[in-house]
Amino acid sequence: MTQSGGSTNLHVDVSIIMPVHNAAAWLPESLQSVLLQTFQGSMELAIFNDASKDNSLKIIQEWRQKFADAGIEMTVGGHDSDKPKGVGYAKNQAIMQSSGAYLCFLDADDVMHPKRVELQYETAVQHQCAIVGCRVHREPDGSTDRYTRWINNLTPAQLTTQIYTANGPTVIMPTWFCSRCVWDKVGGFNEGGKGVPEDLIFFLEHLRLGGQVKRVDEHLLTYRYHPQAATASVHRDTIWSIQLAALQERVLANWSKFTIWNAGKQGRRFYRDLSEENKAKVAAFCDVDVKKIEKGFYTYEESTVVPKPKVPILHFRDASPPFIICVKLDLTGGEFEKNLASLNLQEGVDYLLFS
């Protein structure tokens, strides 16, 4: 991570933080959305151009006068190296050249709705140690239905219990708004570059340090889906490894035993990837599949221990909490969710999702 820092002269209320890399196709609409904000406090736009090879920088310069006329200072940094240094680096640089007491993150391909800064600022002022998100409208419509439903429908409690799923942060990075002290405390974004989920790493560290997560329950951002998006470069195995390490450190270290819900491929992979100490805590697998249950046991064939470990496979009604649930939500027509609800368990206490 980078050294924390930035301007010590915080002379504006909110800095819009915009990393830019080859965003010419979307920049005009994104920049216009900043000018249309209803927020009555002071704002600046801090842009860092990460080696764009299209005409992004030309577009930015063309908009300078419009921002000056609106009383919004625009600071532009960047480099013209052969290759970009990555989203984490660009965000850190934009923040360090900014001077706002609060940070509002905006990807150059997304569009803020007019009340975004106003409403998120109100919440962030009340919750100084929180990352504040919002609901989103996905464009094009229907491009990621399950993910969008998850983003928009998590309960306030689930913002901190569903942090170990493959979806990543429970408030997505393009919606983040926070006090500058949140960034300072974490120490900046990971600068590993392409393929590194800098938002997830930051988010988990923020929570580890006692930070909060809040969401304004209004649709305040149009969140674009396209193949060039930085998130498309992050491999799911990378997310799995980061989430598993956090889960083992922060949850499983405090449990004496637990059940893995899913005796299939995902559940078995989860078991194999656990530390030896945590493998020993697995009391059973559970499932609804009769064929898996009738086998009676899962044998860990890769083990060097003799005899090889055998873990019982039970029907979910016969298994004991706490559960680590390695089942993807919203894929079974509601059957899994109905089974889970029938046990009257408390999420975050009796079970956690890892999928």
Side-chain angles (χ1 to χ4, degrees), residues 116-144:
R116 181 190 172 189
V117 173
E118 177 186 345
L119 295 180
Q120 288 191 294
Y121 178 82
E122 289 175 1
T123 301
V125 167
Q126 295 171 19
H127 302 281
Q128 292 284 319
C129 296
I131 292 175
V132 179
C134 64
R135 287 178 169 154
V136 302
H137 167 68
R138 194 62 151 150
E139 189 176 286
D141 284 326
S143 52
T144 56

PDB file of all heavy atoms in Angstrom, residues 116-144:
ATOM      1  N   ARG A 116     -26.562  12.360  -5.351  1.00  0.00           N
ATOM      2  CA  ARG A 116     -25.616  11.425  -4.728  1.00  0.00           C
ATOM      3  C   ARG A 116     -24.741  12.081  -3.661  1.00  0.00           C
ATOM      4  O   ARG A 116     -24.701  11.622  -2.509  1.00  0.00           O
ATOM      5  CB  ARG A 116     -24.705  10.776  -5.790  1.00  0.00           C
ATOM      6  CG  ARG A 116     -23.746   9.780  -5.127  1.00  0.00           C
ATOM      7  CD  ARG A 116     -22.649   9.251  -6.010  1.00  0.00           C
ATOM      8  NE  ARG A 116     -21.733   8.478  -5.178  1.00  0.00           N
ATOM      9  CZ  ARG A 116     -20.562   8.008  -5.582  1.00  0.00           C
ATOM     10  NH1 ARG A 116     -20.152   8.210  -6.813  1.00  0.00           N
ATOM     11  NH2 ARG A 116     -19.785   7.347  -4.739  1.00  0.00           N
ATOM     12  N   VAL A 117     -24.004  13.107  -4.011  1.00  0.00           N
ATOM     13  CA  VAL A 117     -23.081  13.716  -3.051  1.00  0.00           C
ATOM     14  C   VAL A 117     -23.843  14.261  -1.846  1.00  0.00           C
ATOM     15  O   VAL A 117     -23.441  14.065  -0.691  1.00  0.00           O
ATOM     16  CB  VAL A 117     -22.242  14.821  -3.717  1.00  0.00           C
ATOM     17  CG1 VAL A 117     -21.403  15.566  -2.676  1.00  0.00           C
ATOM     18  CG2 VAL A 117     -21.320  14.213  -4.781  1.00  0.00           C
ATOM     19  N   GLU A 118     -24.954  14.920  -2.084  1.00  0.00           N
ATOM     20  CA  GLU A 118     -25.750  15.499  -1.000  1.00  0.00           C
ATOM     21  C   GLU A 118     -26.164  14.445   0.025  1.00  0.00           C
ATOM     22  O   GLU A 118     -25.956  14.622   1.233  1.00  0.00           O
ATOM     23  CB  GLU A 118     -26.997  16.162  -1.583  1.00  0.00           C
ATOM     24  CG  GLU A 118     -27.936  16.744  -0.533  1.00  0.00           C
ATOM     25  CD  GLU A 118     -29.224  17.269  -1.152  1.00  0.00           C
ATOM     26  OE1 GLU A 118     -29.287  17.453  -2.381  1.00  0.00           O
ATOM     27  OE2 GLU A 118     -30.178  17.500  -0.379  1.00  0.00           O
ATOM     28  N   LEU A 119     -26.721  13.333  -0.435  1.00  0.00           N
ATOM     29  CA  LEU A 119     -27.245  12.326   0.482  1.00  0.00           C
ATOM     30  C   LEU A 119     -26.133  11.506   1.148  1.00  0.00           C
ATOM     31  O   LEU A 119     -26.220  11.181   2.338  1.00  0.00           O
ATOM     32  CB  LEU A 119     -28.220  11.409  -0.253  1.00  0.00           C
ATOM     33  CG  LEU A 119     -29.493  12.090  -0.768  1.00  0.00           C
ATOM     34  CD1 LEU A 119     -30.387  11.085  -1.480  1.00  0.00           C
ATOM     35  CD2 LEU A 119     -30.257  12.760   0.368  1.00  0.00           C
ATOM     36  N   GLN A 120     -25.100  11.152   0.401  1.00  0.00           N
ATOM     37  CA  GLN A 120     -24.017  10.387   1.010  1.00  0.00           C
ATOM     38  C   GLN A 120     -23.204  11.239   1.977  1.00  0.00           C
ATOM     39  O   GLN A 120     -22.726  10.743   3.000  1.00  0.00           O
ATOM     40  CB  GLN A 120     -23.123   9.775  -0.073  1.00  0.00           C
ATOM     41  CG  GLN A 120     -23.801   8.614  -0.811  1.00  0.00           C
ATOM     42  CD  GLN A 120     -22.825   7.856  -1.682  1.00  0.00           C
ATOM     43  OE1 GLN A 120     -22.299   8.391  -2.658  1.00  0.00           O
ATOM     44  NE2 GLN A 120     -22.582   6.597  -1.346  1.00  0.00           N
ATOM     45  N   TYR A 121     -23.058  12.511   1.678  1.00  0.00           N
ATOM     46  CA  TYR A 121     -22.362  13.424   2.592  1.00  0.00           C
ATOM     47  C   TYR A 121     -23.094  13.483   3.936  1.00  0.00           C
ATOM     48  O   TYR A 121     -22.460  13.407   4.997  1.00  0.00           O
ATOM     49  CB  TYR A 121     -22.278  14.809   1.969  1.00  0.00           C
ATOM     50  CG  TYR A 121     -21.608  15.853   2.843  1.00  0.00           C
ATOM     51  CD1 TYR A 121     -20.223  15.952   2.910  1.00  0.00           C
ATOM     52  CD2 TYR A 121     -22.365  16.756   3.580  1.00  0.00           C
ATOM     53  CE1 TYR A 121     -19.599  16.917   3.700  1.00  0.00           C
ATOM     54  CE2 TYR A 121     -21.753  17.720   4.383  1.00  0.00           C
ATOM     55  CZ  TYR A 121     -20.381  17.796   4.429  1.00  0.00           C
ATOM     56  OH  TYR A 121     -19.761  18.749   5.215  1.00  0.00           O
ATOM     57  N   GLU A 122     -24.416  13.595   3.902  1.00  0.00           N
ATOM     58  CA  GLU A 122     -25.203  13.642   5.142  1.00  0.00           C
ATOM     59  C   GLU A 122     -24.942  12.406   6.000  1.00  0.00           C
ATOM     60  O   GLU A 122     -24.783  12.506   7.226  1.00  0.00           O
ATOM     61  CB  GLU A 122     -26.693  13.733   4.814  1.00  0.00           C
ATOM     62  CG  GLU A 122     -27.138  15.057   4.233  1.00  0.00           C
ATOM     63  CD  GLU A 122     -28.595  15.042   3.806  1.00  0.00           C
ATOM     64  OE1 GLU A 122     -29.261  13.988   3.983  1.00  0.00           O
ATOM     65  OE2 GLU A 122     -29.075  16.077   3.302  1.00  0.00           O
ATOM     66  N   THR A 123     -24.886  11.239   5.373  1.00  0.00           N
ATOM     67  CA  THR A 123     -24.653   9.994   6.119  1.00  0.00           C
ATOM     68  C   THR A 123     -23.214   9.907   6.611  1.00  0.00           C
ATOM     69  O   THR A 123     -22.965   9.511   7.751  1.00  0.00           O
ATOM     70  CB  THR A 123     -24.984   8.775   5.237  1.00  0.00           C
ATOM     71  OG1 THR A 123     -26.351   8.857   4.825  1.00  0.00           O
ATOM     72  CG2 THR A 123     -24.765   7.470   5.994  1.00  0.00           C
ATOM     73  N   ALA A 124     -22.256  10.278   5.784  1.00  0.00           N
ATOM     74  CA  ALA A 124     -20.842  10.186   6.162  1.00  0.00           C
ATOM     75  C   ALA A 124     -20.509  11.126   7.319  1.00  0.00           C
ATOM     76  O   ALA A 124     -19.684  10.792   8.178  1.00  0.00           O
ATOM     77  CB  ALA A 124     -19.953  10.493   4.952  1.00  0.00           C
ATOM     78  N   VAL A 125     -21.129  12.300   7.347  1.00  0.00           N
ATOM     79  CA  VAL A 125     -20.903  13.234   8.462  1.00  0.00           C
ATOM     80  C   VAL A 125     -21.363  12.614   9.780  1.00  0.00           C
ATOM     81  O   VAL A 125     -20.733  12.798  10.825  1.00  0.00           O
ATOM     82  CB  VAL A 125     -21.630  14.568   8.192  1.00  0.00           C
ATOM     83  CG1 VAL A 125     -21.678  15.427   9.442  1.00  0.00           C
ATOM     84  CG2 VAL A 125     -20.938  15.330   7.073  1.00  0.00           C
ATOM     85  N   GLN A 126     -22.434  11.842   9.722  1.00  0.00           N
ATOM     86  CA  GLN A 126     -22.966  11.193  10.931  1.00  0.00           C
ATOM     87  C   GLN A 126     -22.176   9.948  11.305  1.00  0.00           C
ATOM     88  O   GLN A 126     -22.234   9.502  12.454  1.00  0.00           O
ATOM     89  CB  GLN A 126     -24.433  10.818  10.714  1.00  0.00           C
ATOM     90  CG  GLN A 126     -25.362  12.005  10.521  1.00  0.00           C
ATOM     91  CD  GLN A 126     -26.758  11.584  10.107  1.00  0.00           C
ATOM     92  OE1 GLN A 126     -27.150  10.433  10.289  1.00  0.00           O
ATOM     93  NE2 GLN A 126     -27.505  12.513   9.528  1.00  0.00           N
ATOM     94  N   HIS A 127     -21.464   9.360  10.347  1.00  0.00           N
ATOM     95  CA  HIS A 127     -20.720   8.107  10.582  1.00  0.00           C
ATOM     96  C   HIS A 127     -19.299   8.281  10.054  1.00  0.00           C
ATOM     97  O   HIS A 127     -18.956   7.819   8.957  1.00  0.00           O
ATOM     98  CB  HIS A 127     -21.425   6.937   9.903  1.00  0.00           C
ATOM     99  CG  HIS A 127     -22.841   6.735  10.352  1.00  0.00           C
ATOM    100  ND1 HIS A 127     -23.164   6.108  11.537  1.00  0.00           N
ATOM    101  CD2 HIS A 127     -24.014   7.114   9.778  1.00  0.00           C
ATOM    102  CE1 HIS A 127     -24.478   6.082  11.664  1.00  0.00           C
ATOM    103  NE2 HIS A 127     -25.016   6.688  10.623  1.00  0.00           N
ATOM    104  N   GLN A 128     -18.468   8.923  10.846  1.00  0.00           N
ATOM    105  CA  GLN A 128     -17.118   9.300  10.416  1.00  0.00           C
ATOM    106  C   GLN A 128     -16.223   8.109  10.105  1.00  0.00           C
ATOM    107  O   GLN A 128     -15.257   8.238   9.355  1.00  0.00           O
ATOM    108  CB  GLN A 128     -16.462  10.162  11.502  1.00  0.00           C
ATOM    109  CG  GLN A 128     -17.100  11.528  11.684  1.00  0.00           C
ATOM    110  CD  GLN A 128     -16.716  12.491  10.575  1.00  0.00           C
ATOM    111  OE1 GLN A 128     -15.578  12.535  10.138  1.00  0.00           O
ATOM    112  NE2 GLN A 128     -17.691  13.261  10.102  1.00  0.00           N
ATOM    113  N   CYS A 129     -16.513   6.953  10.702  1.00  0.00           N
ATOM    114  CA  CYS A 129     -15.659   5.774  10.514  1.00  0.00           C
ATOM    115  C   CYS A 129     -16.259   4.787   9.514  1.00  0.00           C
ATOM    116  O   CYS A 129     -15.908   3.605   9.526  1.00  0.00           O
ATOM    117  CB  CYS A 129     -15.423   5.083  11.852  1.00  0.00           C
ATOM    118  SG  CYS A 129     -14.525   6.088  13.040  1.00  0.00           S
ATOM    119  N   ALA A 130     -17.171   5.259   8.674  1.00  0.00           N
ATOM    120  CA  ALA A 130     -17.878   4.358   7.758  1.00  0.00           C
ATOM    121  C   ALA A 130     -17.510   4.594   6.310  1.00  0.00           C
ATOM    122  O   ALA A 130     -17.232   5.721   5.891  1.00  0.00           O
ATOM    123  CB  ALA A 130     -19.390   4.515   7.928  1.00  0.00           C
ATOM    124  N   ILE A 131     -17.518   3.496   5.553  1.00  0.00           N
ATOM    125  CA  ILE A 131     -17.617   3.587   4.099  1.00  0.00           C
ATOM    126  C   ILE A 131     -19.103   3.598   3.785  1.00  0.00           C
ATOM    127  O   ILE A 131     -19.836   2.690   4.202  1.00  0.00           O
ATOM    128  CB  ILE A 131     -16.937   2.399   3.402  1.00  0.00           C
ATOM    129  CG1 ILE A 131     -15.418   2.456   3.599  1.00  0.00           C
ATOM    130  CG2 ILE A 131     -17.264   2.391   1.919  1.00  0.00           C
ATOM    131  CD1 ILE A 131     -14.685   1.245   3.050  1.00  0.00           C
ATOM    132  N   VAL A 132     -19.555   4.616   3.082  1.00  0.00           N
ATOM    133  CA  VAL A 132     -20.972   4.774   2.766  1.00  0.00           C
ATOM    134  C   VAL A 132     -21.193   4.450   1.289  1.00  0.00           C
ATOM    135  O   VAL A 132     -20.538   5.030   0.420  1.00  0.00           O
ATOM    136  CB  VAL A 132     -21.443   6.214   3.057  1.00  0.00           C
ATOM    137  CG1 VAL A 132     -22.929   6.372   2.704  1.00  0.00           C
ATOM    138  CG2 VAL A 132     -21.200   6.574   4.526  1.00  0.00           C
ATOM    139  N   GLY A 133     -22.089   3.514   1.018  1.00  0.00           N
ATOM    140  CA  GLY A 133     -22.423   3.169  -0.355  1.00  0.00           C
ATOM    141  C   GLY A 133     -23.822   3.638  -0.705  1.00  0.00           C
ATOM    142  O   GLY A 133     -24.431   4.445   0.004  1.00  0.00           O
ATOM    143  N   CYS A 134     -24.351   3.112  -1.801  1.00  0.00           N
ATOM    144  CA  CYS A 134     -25.716   3.432  -2.207  1.00  0.00           C
ATOM    145  C   CYS A 134     -26.215   2.322  -3.118  1.00  0.00           C
ATOM    146  O   CYS A 134     -25.465   1.424  -3.494  1.00  0.00           O
ATOM    147  CB  CYS A 134     -25.784   4.783  -2.924  1.00  0.00           C
ATOM    148  SG  CYS A 134     -24.885   4.850  -4.501  1.00  0.00           S
ATOM    149  N   ARG A 135     -27.463   2.373  -3.459  1.00  0.00           N
ATOM    150  CA  ARG A 135     -28.011   1.458  -4.453  1.00  0.00           C
ATOM    151  C   ARG A 135     -27.625   1.953  -5.852  1.00  0.00           C
ATOM    152  O   ARG A 135     -27.298   3.123  -6.032  1.00  0.00           O
ATOM    153  CB  ARG A 135     -29.523   1.352  -4.295  1.00  0.00           C
ATOM    154  CG  ARG A 135     -29.913   0.553  -3.050  1.00  0.00           C
ATOM    155  CD  ARG A 135     -31.394   0.472  -2.859  1.00  0.00           C
ATOM    156  NE  ARG A 135     -31.722  -0.504  -1.813  1.00  0.00           N
ATOM    157  CZ  ARG A 135     -32.810  -0.472  -1.076  1.00  0.00           C
ATOM    158  NH1 ARG A 135     -33.707   0.498  -1.244  1.00  0.00           N
ATOM    159  NH2 ARG A 135     -33.023  -1.391  -0.151  1.00  0.00           N
ATOM    160  N   VAL A 136     -27.692   1.031  -6.815  1.00  0.00           N
ATOM    161  CA  VAL A 136     -27.260   1.376  -8.168  1.00  0.00           C
ATOM    162  C   VAL A 136     -28.283   0.955  -9.199  1.00  0.00           C
ATOM    163  O   VAL A 136     -29.090   0.050  -8.982  1.00  0.00           O
ATOM    164  CB  VAL A 136     -25.902   0.704  -8.508  1.00  0.00           C
ATOM    165  CG1 VAL A 136     -24.820   1.117  -7.526  1.00  0.00           C
ATOM    166  CG2 VAL A 136     -26.037  -0.823  -8.573  1.00  0.00           C
ATOM    167  N   HIS A 137     -28.226   1.636 -10.322  1.00  0.00           N
ATOM    168  CA  HIS A 137     -28.919   1.195 -11.536  1.00  0.00           C
ATOM    169  C   HIS A 137     -27.846   0.633 -12.468  1.00  0.00           C
ATOM    170  O   HIS A 137     -26.847   1.298 -12.734  1.00  0.00           O
ATOM    171  CB  HIS A 137     -29.640   2.358 -12.208  1.00  0.00           C
ATOM    172  CG  HIS A 137     -30.106   2.040 -13.601  1.00  0.00           C
ATOM    173  ND1 HIS A 137     -31.117   1.130 -13.850  1.00  0.00           N
ATOM    174  CD2 HIS A 137     -29.695   2.483 -14.821  1.00  0.00           C
ATOM    175  CE1 HIS A 137     -31.299   1.034 -15.149  1.00  0.00           C
ATOM    176  NE2 HIS A 137     -30.444   1.832 -15.766  1.00  0.00           N
ATOM    177  N   ARG A 138     -28.031  -0.602 -12.892  1.00  0.00           N
ATOM    178  CA  ARG A 138     -27.045  -1.261 -13.749  1.00  0.00           C
ATOM    179  C   ARG A 138     -27.350  -0.970 -15.213  1.00  0.00           C
ATOM    180  O   ARG A 138     -28.520  -1.023 -15.638  1.00  0.00           O
ATOM    181  CB  ARG A 138     -27.075  -2.771 -13.492  1.00  0.00           C
ATOM    182  CG  ARG A 138     -25.889  -3.559 -14.049  1.00  0.00           C
ATOM    183  CD  ARG A 138     -24.585  -3.146 -13.436  1.00  0.00           C
ATOM    184  NE  ARG A 138     -23.619  -4.237 -13.406  1.00  0.00           N
ATOM    185  CZ  ARG A 138     -22.311  -4.071 -13.464  1.00  0.00           C
ATOM    186  NH1 ARG A 138     -21.806  -2.856 -13.561  1.00  0.00           N
ATOM    187  NH2 ARG A 138     -21.492  -5.100 -13.388  1.00  0.00           N
ATOM    188  N   GLU A 139     -26.323  -0.653 -15.958  1.00  0.00           N
ATOM    189  CA  GLU A 139     -26.476  -0.394 -17.385  1.00  0.00           C
ATOM    190  C   GLU A 139     -25.455  -1.221 -18.163  1.00  0.00           C
ATOM    191  O   GLU A 139     -24.274  -1.200 -17.829  1.00  0.00           O
ATOM    192  CB  GLU A 139     -26.270   1.097 -17.676  1.00  0.00           C
ATOM    193  CG  GLU A 139     -26.609   1.502 -19.091  1.00  0.00           C
ATOM    194  CD  GLU A 139     -26.484   3.000 -19.312  1.00  0.00           C
ATOM    195  OE1 GLU A 139     -27.361   3.745 -18.841  1.00  0.00           O
ATOM    196  OE2 GLU A 139     -25.483   3.409 -19.933  1.00  0.00           O
ATOM    197  N   PRO A 140     -25.867  -1.983 -19.179  1.00  0.00           N
ATOM    198  CA  PRO A 140     -27.240  -2.108 -19.660  1.00  0.00           C
ATOM    199  C   PRO A 140     -28.126  -2.912 -18.714  1.00  0.00           C
ATOM    200  O   PRO A 140     -27.635  -3.736 -17.943  1.00  0.00           O
ATOM    201  CB  PRO A 140     -27.074  -2.834 -20.999  1.00  0.00           C
ATOM    202  CG  PRO A 140     -25.782  -3.567 -20.884  1.00  0.00           C
ATOM    203  CD  PRO A 140     -24.899  -2.742 -20.000  1.00  0.00           C
ATOM    204  N   ASP A 141     -29.429  -2.655 -18.779  1.00  0.00           N
ATOM    205  CA  ASP A 141     -30.388  -3.355 -17.927  1.00  0.00           C
ATOM    206  C   ASP A 141     -30.248  -4.863 -18.100  1.00  0.00           C
ATOM    207  O   ASP A 141     -30.100  -5.364 -19.218  1.00  0.00           O
ATOM    208  CB  ASP A 141     -31.820  -2.950 -18.290  1.00  0.00           C
ATOM    209  CG  ASP A 141     -32.176  -1.578 -17.751  1.00  0.00           C
ATOM    210  OD1 ASP A 141     -31.685  -1.234 -16.668  1.00  0.00           O
ATOM    211  OD2 ASP A 141     -32.952  -0.864 -18.421  1.00  0.00           O
ATOM    212  N   GLY A 142     -30.282  -5.579 -16.973  1.00  0.00           N
ATOM    213  CA  GLY A 142     -30.265  -7.036 -17.021  1.00  0.00           C
ATOM    214  C   GLY A 142     -28.910  -7.652 -17.242  1.00  0.00           C
ATOM    215  O   GLY A 142     -28.794  -8.870 -17.371  1.00  0.00           O
ATOM    216  N   SER A 143     -27.837  -6.844 -17.273  1.00  0.00           N
ATOM    217  CA  SER A 143     -26.515  -7.399 -17.598  1.00  0.00           C
ATOM    218  C   SER A 143     -25.958  -8.269 -16.476  1.00  0.00           C
ATOM    219  O   SER A 143     -25.231  -9.220 -16.736  1.00  0.00           O
ATOM    220  CB  SER A 143     -25.536  -6.270 -17.935  1.00  0.00           C
ATOM    221  OG  SER A 143     -25.523  -5.293 -16.920  1.00  0.00           O
ATOM    222  N   THR A 144     -26.284  -7.949 -15.238  1.00  0.00           N
ATOM    223  CA  THR A 144     -25.816  -8.762 -14.097  1.00  0.00           C
ATOM    224  C   THR A 144     -26.934  -8.792 -13.050  1.00  0.00           C
ATOM    225  O   THR A 144     -26.790  -8.277 -11.956  1.00  0.00           O
ATOM    226  CB  THR A 144     -24.531  -8.178 -13.465  1.00  0.00           C
ATOM    227  OG1 THR A 144     -24.775  -6.810 -13.076  1.00  0.00           O
ATOM    228  CG2 THR A 144     -23.356  -8.209 -14.429  1.00  0.00           C
TER     229      THR A 144
END
